[in-house]
Amino acid sequence: MGLRFETRRSDSPWVDAVWTCASEQVTAMTSVAGVRWGLVFWTQAGQAYAGITGPETRTGTAPVPEGAIFTGIEFAVGTSLRAVPTPALIDGGIELPDTTRRTFRLDGARWETPGPDDAEALVARLVRAGIVVRDPLVADVLRGHRPDVSERTVERRFRAATGMTRGAVRQIERARTAAELLAAGDPAAEVVAKLDYFDEPHLARALRSYVGRTARQLREGDGGAIALDLDQRLTS
Protein backbone atom coordinates (compact mmCIF):
# COMPACT_ATOMS: atom_id res chain seq x y z
CA MET A 1 0.00 0.00 0.00
CA GLY A 2 1.14 3.59 -0.49
CA LEU A 3 1.56 5.60 -3.69
CA ARG A 4 1.48 3.82 -7.05
CA PHE A 5 3.15 5.95 -9.72
CA GLU A 6 3.43 5.61 -13.46
CA THR A 7 5.39 8.21 -15.42
CA ARG A 8 5.98 8.74 -19.10
CA ARG A 9 8.26 11.20 -20.84
CA SER A 10 6.68 13.64 -23.28
CA ASP A 11 7.73 14.51 -26.81
CA SER A 12 6.32 18.02 -26.38
CA PRO A 13 9.00 20.73 -25.92
CA TRP A 14 6.68 22.29 -23.33
CA VAL A 15 6.25 19.18 -21.18
CA ASP A 16 8.82 17.08 -19.37
CA ALA A 17 6.63 14.25 -18.14
CA VAL A 18 3.06 13.13 -17.50
CA TRP A 19 2.33 11.00 -14.47
CA THR A 20 -0.51 9.20 -12.77
CA CYS A 21 -0.73 8.11 -9.17
CA ALA A 22 -3.16 6.39 -6.84
CA SER A 23 -2.99 6.68 -3.04
CA GLU A 24 -3.94 3.65 -1.00
CA GLN A 25 -4.03 3.73 2.81
CA VAL A 26 -1.53 6.59 2.98
CA THR A 27 -2.09 10.09 4.34
CA ALA A 28 1.44 11.54 4.20
CA MET A 29 4.50 11.24 2.00
CA THR A 30 8.09 12.41 1.77
CA SER A 31 8.15 15.25 -0.73
CA VAL A 32 11.22 15.48 -2.96
CA ALA A 33 12.93 18.59 -4.25
CA GLY A 34 12.11 19.29 -7.90
CA VAL A 35 12.82 22.03 -10.40
CA ARG A 36 9.57 21.95 -12.42
CA TRP A 37 6.14 23.49 -11.93
CA GLY A 38 3.08 21.53 -12.87
CA LEU A 39 -0.63 21.08 -13.12
CA VAL A 40 -2.24 18.31 -11.10
CA PHE A 41 -5.79 16.96 -11.22
CA TRP A 42 -7.26 14.52 -8.74
CA THR A 43 -10.49 12.98 -7.58
CA GLN A 44 -11.34 11.84 -4.07
CA ALA A 45 -14.67 10.51 -2.84
CA GLY A 46 -16.37 11.68 -6.03
CA GLN A 47 -15.07 15.24 -5.75
CA ALA A 48 -12.73 16.75 -8.35
CA TYR A 49 -9.80 19.06 -7.63
CA ALA A 50 -7.08 20.83 -9.62
CA GLY A 51 -4.00 22.78 -8.65
CA ILE A 52 -0.73 24.35 -9.72
CA THR A 53 2.37 22.88 -8.10
CA GLY A 54 5.62 24.78 -7.76
CA PRO A 55 9.28 23.79 -7.77
CA GLU A 56 10.54 22.55 -4.40
CA THR A 57 13.98 23.43 -3.07
CA ARG A 58 14.14 20.83 -0.29
CA THR A 59 12.60 17.65 1.00
CA GLY A 60 9.88 17.54 3.62
CA THR A 61 6.65 15.81 4.61
CA ALA A 62 3.45 16.53 2.71
CA PRO A 63 -0.16 15.38 3.26
CA VAL A 64 -1.75 13.00 0.76
CA PRO A 65 -5.52 12.75 0.12
CA GLU A 66 -6.30 9.13 0.95
CA GLY A 67 -7.98 7.08 -1.77
CA ALA A 68 -7.30 9.70 -4.45
CA ILE A 69 -6.42 9.26 -8.12
CA PHE A 70 -4.10 11.84 -9.68
CA THR A 71 -3.01 12.95 -13.15
CA GLY A 72 -0.10 15.38 -13.29
CA ILE A 73 1.74 17.37 -15.94
CA GLU A 74 5.34 18.41 -15.26
CA PHE A 75 6.29 21.32 -17.47
CA ALA A 76 9.72 21.78 -19.00
CA VAL A 77 12.20 23.99 -17.18
CA GLY A 78 11.99 27.50 -18.60
CA THR A 79 8.24 27.45 -19.16
CA SER A 80 5.90 29.44 -16.93
CA LEU A 81 2.35 30.60 -16.52
CA ARG A 82 1.51 34.06 -17.81
CA ALA A 83 -0.57 34.86 -14.74
CA VAL A 84 1.67 33.29 -12.06
CA PRO A 85 5.46 33.79 -12.23
CA THR A 86 7.29 30.58 -11.36
CA PRO A 87 9.31 32.26 -8.55
CA ALA A 88 5.99 32.88 -6.77
CA LEU A 89 5.33 29.11 -6.76
CA ILE A 90 8.62 28.06 -5.13
CA ASP A 91 7.94 25.63 -2.25
CA GLY A 92 4.22 26.13 -2.64
CA GLY A 93 1.27 25.85 -4.95
CA ILE A 94 -2.24 27.07 -5.69
CA GLU A 95 -5.49 25.12 -5.61
CA LEU A 96 -7.64 26.14 -8.56
CA PRO A 97 -11.24 27.14 -7.81
CA ASP A 98 -14.49 25.93 -9.32
CA THR A 99 -13.18 22.56 -10.51
CA THR A 100 -15.54 19.87 -11.75
CA ARG A 101 -14.91 16.33 -13.01
CA ARG A 102 -14.97 17.65 -16.59
CA THR A 103 -13.46 21.14 -16.42
CA PHE A 104 -11.21 23.45 -14.42
CA ARG A 105 -10.61 27.20 -14.42
CA LEU A 106 -7.23 28.75 -15.20
CA ASP A 107 -6.30 32.35 -16.05
CA GLY A 108 -9.92 33.44 -16.34
CA ALA A 109 -11.03 30.69 -18.73
CA ARG A 110 -12.51 27.20 -18.38
CA TRP A 111 -10.62 24.21 -19.78
CA GLU A 112 -11.39 20.54 -20.20
CA THR A 113 -9.75 18.39 -17.54
CA PRO A 114 -7.22 16.11 -19.27
CA GLY A 115 -6.51 12.45 -18.82
CA PRO A 116 -2.95 11.13 -19.06
CA ASP A 117 -3.27 10.50 -22.80
CA ASP A 118 -4.41 14.00 -23.79
CA ALA A 119 -2.26 16.11 -21.47
CA GLU A 120 -0.19 17.43 -24.39
CA ALA A 121 -3.35 18.48 -26.24
CA LEU A 122 -4.35 20.62 -23.27
CA VAL A 123 -0.87 22.13 -23.08
CA ALA A 124 -0.95 22.95 -26.80
CA ARG A 125 -4.21 24.84 -26.28
CA LEU A 126 -2.76 26.72 -23.30
CA VAL A 127 0.28 27.67 -25.38
CA ARG A 128 -1.84 28.90 -28.29
CA ALA A 129 -3.85 31.02 -25.86
CA GLY A 130 -0.65 32.56 -24.46
CA ILE A 131 -1.34 31.19 -20.97
CA VAL A 132 1.81 29.04 -20.89
CA VAL A 133 4.94 30.83 -22.10
CA ARG A 134 8.68 30.16 -22.04
CA ASP A 135 12.07 31.80 -22.23
CA PRO A 136 13.95 30.11 -25.10
CA LEU A 137 17.29 31.20 -23.64
CA VAL A 138 16.76 28.94 -20.63
CA ALA A 139 16.09 25.93 -22.86
CA ASP A 140 19.21 26.71 -24.89
CA VAL A 141 21.35 26.95 -21.75
CA LEU A 142 20.03 23.63 -20.46
CA ARG A 143 20.97 22.01 -23.77
CA GLY A 144 24.54 23.24 -23.31
CA HIS A 145 24.42 26.18 -25.70
CA ARG A 146 26.22 29.42 -24.84
CA PRO A 147 24.00 32.37 -25.75
CA ASP A 148 25.53 35.62 -26.92
CA VAL A 149 24.68 37.51 -23.71
CA SER A 150 26.51 38.05 -20.44
CA GLU A 151 26.55 35.47 -17.67
CA ARG A 152 24.76 38.01 -15.49
CA THR A 153 21.93 38.23 -18.03
CA VAL A 154 21.73 34.44 -18.29
CA GLU A 155 21.50 34.07 -14.52
CA ARG A 156 18.90 36.83 -14.23
CA ARG A 157 16.67 35.27 -16.89
CA PHE A 158 17.20 31.79 -15.45
CA ARG A 159 16.05 32.98 -12.03
CA ALA A 160 13.05 34.81 -13.54
CA ALA A 161 11.94 31.72 -15.45
CA THR A 162 12.60 29.06 -12.82
CA GLY A 163 12.85 30.80 -9.44
CA MET A 164 16.22 29.07 -8.95
CA THR A 165 19.85 29.49 -9.85
CA ARG A 166 21.40 27.21 -12.44
CA GLY A 167 23.50 25.68 -9.67
CA ALA A 168 20.44 24.78 -7.60
CA VAL A 169 18.76 23.21 -10.61
CA ARG A 170 21.84 21.07 -11.28
CA GLN A 171 22.10 19.92 -7.66
CA ILE A 172 18.44 18.95 -7.39
CA GLU A 173 18.40 17.13 -10.72
CA ARG A 174 21.55 15.25 -9.79
CA ALA A 175 20.11 14.15 -6.43
CA ARG A 176 16.92 12.91 -8.08
CA THR A 177 18.94 10.94 -10.62
CA ALA A 178 21.05 9.49 -7.82
CA ALA A 179 17.90 8.36 -6.00
CA GLU A 180 16.61 6.62 -9.13
CA LEU A 181 19.94 4.85 -9.70
CA LEU A 182 20.20 3.70 -6.08
CA ALA A 183 16.60 2.45 -6.10
CA ALA A 184 17.41 0.51 -9.27
CA GLY A 185 20.27 -1.24 -7.45
CA ASP A 186 23.38 0.74 -8.43
CA PRO A 187 26.02 0.70 -5.64
CA ALA A 188 26.59 4.05 -3.94
CA ALA A 189 30.24 4.13 -5.04
CA GLU A 190 29.19 3.80 -8.68
CA VAL A 191 26.60 6.55 -8.31
CA VAL A 192 29.26 8.84 -6.79
CA ALA A 193 31.54 8.26 -9.79
CA LYS A 194 28.78 8.43 -12.39
CA LEU A 195 27.32 11.71 -11.12
CA ASP A 196 30.58 13.40 -10.04
CA TYR A 197 29.94 13.59 -6.33
CA PHE A 198 33.10 14.13 -4.26
CA ASP A 199 32.54 11.02 -2.15
CA GLU A 200 29.80 8.98 -0.50
CA PRO A 201 29.29 11.47 2.39
CA HIS A 202 28.71 14.18 -0.25
CA LEU A 203 26.09 11.97 -1.89
CA ALA A 204 24.51 11.22 1.50
CA ARG A 205 24.16 14.94 2.29
CA ALA A 206 22.53 15.61 -1.07
CA LEU A 207 20.06 12.76 -0.58
CA ARG A 208 19.20 13.98 2.91
CA SER A 209 18.62 17.56 1.70
CA TYR A 210 16.75 16.90 -1.52
CA VAL A 211 15.26 13.39 -1.34
CA GLY A 212 14.78 12.65 2.36
CA ARG A 213 16.18 9.13 2.09
CA THR A 214 19.47 7.38 2.71
CA ALA A 215 21.13 5.24 0.06
CA ARG A 216 20.17 2.14 2.05
CA GLN A 217 16.51 3.19 2.29
CA LEU A 218 16.38 3.80 -1.46
CA ARG A 219 18.01 0.48 -2.21
CA GLU A 220 15.72 -1.46 0.15
CA GLY A 221 12.54 0.53 -0.51
CA ASP A 222 12.21 1.66 3.11
CA GLY A 223 10.96 4.94 4.52
CA GLY A 224 7.30 4.97 3.51
CA ALA A 225 5.54 6.79 0.70
CA ILE A 226 7.64 9.14 -1.39
CA ALA A 227 6.76 11.59 -4.17
CA LEU A 228 9.08 10.02 -6.70
CA ASP A 229 8.56 7.25 -9.22
CA LEU A 230 11.31 4.84 -8.22
CA ASP A 231 9.94 1.83 -10.10
CA GLN A 232 11.43 3.13 -13.34
CA ARG A 233 8.23 2.56 -15.35
CA LEU A 234 9.18 5.33 -17.74
CA THR A 235 7.82 5.20 -21.26
CA SER A 236 7.99 7.59 -24.17
Side-chain angles (χ1 to χ4, degrees), residues 44-73:
Q44 181 191 29
Q47 180 67 42
Y49 305 87
I52 305 168
T53 58
E56 296 183 62
T57 60
R58 58 189 179 273
T59 186
T61 301
V64 177
E66 187 175 2
I69 299 175
F70 302 83
T71 295
I73 304 171

Side-chain angles (χ1 to χ4, degrees), residues 67-90:
I69 299 175
F70 302 83
T71 295
I73 304 171
E74 286 194 353
F75 286 78
V77 177
T79 64
S80 59
L81 281 167
R82 175 179 63 188
V84 187
T86 304
L89 295 169
I90 292 289

Side-chain angles (χ1 to χ4, degrees), residues 174-192:
R174 181 167 63 166
R176 290 174 67 98
T177 300
E180 292 168 357
L181 292 172
L182 290 163
D186 287 23
E190 291 184 11
V191 174
V192 166

Side-chain angles (χ1 to χ4, degrees), residues 146-161:
R146 295 190 176 184
D148 190 22
V149 296
S150 69
E151 280 295 309
R152 187 172 183 177
T153 297
V154 170
E155 192 64 40
R156 176 178 56 79
R157 288 175 61 174
F158 207 92
R159 281 177 176 269

Side-chain angles (χ1 to χ4, degrees), residues 3 5 28-32 179 211-213 218 223-230:
L3 298 179
F5 276 98
M29 68 179 178
T30 298
S31 62
V32 177
V211 181
R213 291 286 191 276
L218 289 164
I226 187 169
L228 193 64
D229 184 356
L230 295 177

Side-chain angles (χ1 to χ4, degrees), residues 31-42:
S31 62
V32 177
V35 301
R36 294 165 182 81
W37 70 278
L39 291 174
V40 61
F41 309 91
W42 71 100

